[in-house]
Amino acid sequence: TAKKEAIVTALYSVAPYVRDSQLILRALLPEATDDLKPPTERPVPSGKQTFGTLDGKMAAIHQLAQQVAQRQSPQFVYRVALTDGSDPLQQQILDQLPDFTLVLDIIHVTEHLWDAANARWGDTAPQRSPWMPQALTWLLEDQLDDLLNDLDTQALTLALSQQTTLTRVSAYLRRNRPFLDYHRYLALGWPIGTGVVEGA
């Protein structure tokens, strides 16, 4: 009757792929943007290794760190680690892979923004459609404070249950601020989503 959490990691190399916020918006909110194709073909990950365990986060990241050590090479200019917003998982990455830059997966952030939009207006309200692109643009263009100010200001006018959700989302973003520099990540061509592991 007990539940055990499975931790899955993926290790791969990929060429840089420079994007801008509009390209990310088209991927995350296709119904709210035009359907233009990306200007360049996306590079394909290579040498992908996937590992899963029921032995916990420490064991999973230890195994990952061992795989990383076997792959060390001067050809790798950047080392990037993407995770969801789990604080214990992030701490394991910081402890065991200190040479990596930790990035918060944009998909998990988007899910939290949808929670805020749904709490604010309701699951089917049309007001969500213009707000989500604006919220993501703030996030992707290094304007996190504008997004936080918007969430905090709107929370003051809402019922307690709605305030609770917006406050939770705001706290999540504040805690993860060091891992939300998406403007820089995109300019460097780094991945910002964990799609390469989610399929596992």
Side-chain angles (χ1 to χ4, degrees):
T1 61
K3 286 185 178 180
K4 294 195 77 173
E5 181 182 38
I7 306 295
V8 179
T9 63
L11 175 65
Y12 64 96
S13 57
V14 67
Y17 178 50
V18 176
R19 290 96 74 217
D20 61 19
S21 61
Q22 291 306 305
L23 192 58
I24 304 303
L25 286 175
R26 285 202 293 269
L28 295 176
L29 302 172
E31 70 284 351
T33 56
D34 59 51
D35 59 355
L36 294 176
K37 291 185 178 180
T40 58
E41 192 169 323
R42 189 182 190 97
V44 178
S46 65
K48 178 180 169 182
Q49 292 176 282
T50 305
F51 173 76
T53 182
L54 292 170
D55 293 333
K57 297 174 177 66
M58 183 181 293
I61 305 308
H62 179 70
Q63 167 71 15
L64 179 64
Q66 289 180 322
Q67 293 174 337
V68 167
Q70 294 172 7
R71 283 217 200 170
Q72 291 290 5
S73 168
Q75 71 175 333
F76 298 127
V77 179
Y78 303 117
R79 290 162 178 81
V80 181
L82 289 109
T83 69
D84 62 20
S86 165
D87 188 39
L89 182 60
Q90 292 171 326
Q91 195 56 57
Q92 286 298 322
I93 292 287
L94 294 171
D95 291 345
Q96 299 196 52
L97 295 169
D99 294 337
F100 279 62
T101 300
L102 184 56
V103 175
L104 183 62
D105 168 47
I106 191 66
I107 304 300
H108 285 85
V109 179
T110 303
E111 290 171 356
H112 280 75
L113 294 179
W114 276 118
D115 288 345
N118 291 337
R120 204 161 156 182
W121 293 294
D123 293 359
T124 60
Q127 293 93 325
R128 300 179 321 152
S129 295
W131 185 78
M132 279 299 294
Q134 177 60 75
L136 279 167
T137 298
W138 280 327
L139 193 64
L140 294 167
E141 296 186 355
D142 197 23
Q143 297 170 359
L144 178 60
D145 286 332
D146 290 335
L147 175 57
L148 292 170
N149 289 338
D150 182 70
L151 290 169
D152 294 344
T153 300
Q154 291 303 315
L156 297 174
T157 66
L158 300 174
L160 183 58
S161 62
Q162 296 168 295
Q163 285 183 27
T164 300
T165 299
L166 266 65
T167 300
R168 175 179 55 79
V169 172
S170 183
Y172 172 84
L173 294 171
R174 283 187 165 88
R175 184 182 72 76
N176 284 289
R177 182 187 283 271
F179 319 125
L180 296 173
D181 195 1
Y182 294 118
H183 185 71
R184 173 172 167 260
Y185 307 151
L186 293 174
L188 290 170
W190 292 1
I192 62 170
T194 57
V196 74
V197 72
E198 296 293 344

